[in-house]
Amino acid sequence: MYDYIGAFSYLAPLIFIILKVLIGFVPFIPTTIFIVIGFALFGQKFGLFLNYITGLMTAVLNYTLTRIYGKRFLNFFLPKKSIKKYESATRQSTKRFKKVLFLTSAMPFAPDNALSMVAGFKKLRFKEYIKIMTVAKFIEILIIAYLMYHLKLFLA
C-alpha cells in the first residue's frame, strides 16, 4: 500500500484521502494501519493533518449517511450480529453513549467507524457528535504517533 500510494508523487495526498475515506466504510477494518502509512508517507506534520482530516471526513460521512438512510445503511455495512450488539448501545442514555463514542473513537484499533454509524442511527445531534469526534480523532492520531515514535526508538 505504501509503494502504491507513494508512486503517485504529487497526487499521493489525494489518493491517500480517497483510499482512507473508502476504507472507513468498511467498519471491521481498523484505519490505524492507514494512519501509520500516512505518517510514513507524508511525515509528522502533513501526515497528522491528512490523518486528522480524513478521520473526521470518514466519521462525518458514516454518521450522515446513517442519518439519511437509517437501518438500510447499517445493514449494508455491518453483519446482523454486529447490528444487534450496537443496537444495545443505542438503548443507553445519551450521556453514556457519548462517553462510549468518545472513548472508542479515541482508541486505536477500536471499531469507531461502526460506532459512528450507530451514532447516526441513535439520532445524536450533529453538533454534539462533531464536538466528540473533533477531540477524539485528534487524540487517536496523537496516540498512534506517540506509539510509532517510541517503537521507532525501541527498534533502532
Side-chain angles (χ1 to χ4, degrees):
M1 185 64 69
Y2 177 85
D3 291 334
Y4 177 75
I5 295 172
F8 286 97
S9 65
Y10 293 112
L11 292 176
L14 180 63
I15 300 299
F16 177 78
I17 290 169
I18 292 168
L19 286 175
K20 189 157 180 245
V21 169
L22 288 176
I23 290 298
F25 287 110
V26 185
F28 54 86
I29 297 177
T31 56
T32 304
I33 191 142
F34 285 92
I35 293 172
V36 171
I37 291 170
F39 280 119
L41 276 172
F42 304 110
Q44 289 179 340
K45 291 178 185 174
F46 195 53
L48 177 74
F49 172 75
L50 284 178
N51 281 312
Y52 183 65
I53 295 301
T54 55
L56 280 177
M57 286 170 57
T58 302
V60 168
L61 281 171
N62 280 327
Y63 172 86
T64 304
L65 290 172
T66 305
R67 288 290 291 237
I68 294 169
Y69 297 108
K71 200 159 189 168
R72 288 181 296 165
F73 187 72
L74 286 175
N75 287 333
F76 188 73
F77 287 103
L78 297 174
K80 291 199 185 291
K81 197 179 219 183
S82 295
I83 291 174
K84 287 182 182 182
K85 184 175 98 177
Y86 289 122
E87 279 180 338
S88 68
T90 62
R91 292 187 209 104
Q92 296 175 359
S93 70
T94 302
K95 186 176 181 177
R96 181 178 161 98
F97 180 77
K98 286 195 269 186
K99 287 179 185 176
V100 170
L101 179 65
F102 176 79
L103 291 173
T104 305
S105 297
M107 288 188 314
F109 299 107
D112 55 328
N113 290 325
L115 214 52
S116 289
M117 292 176 186
V118 173
F121 188 67
K122 185 170 174 53
K123 308 290 190 219
L124 182 66
R125 287 186 16 223
F126 182 76
K127 187 176 181 180
E128 293 173 347
Y129 175 77
I130 201 70
K131 281 181 190 177
I132 292 167
M133 295 312 283
T134 302
V135 176
K137 285 293 177 187
F138 192 71
I139 291 171
E140 175 192 27
I141 293 166
L142 286 179
I143 289 171
I144 293 168
Y146 177 82
L147 292 174
M148 282 179 56
Y149 175 76
H150 286 288
L151 181 65
K152 188 171 127 182
L153 288 178
F154 178 74
L155 295 175

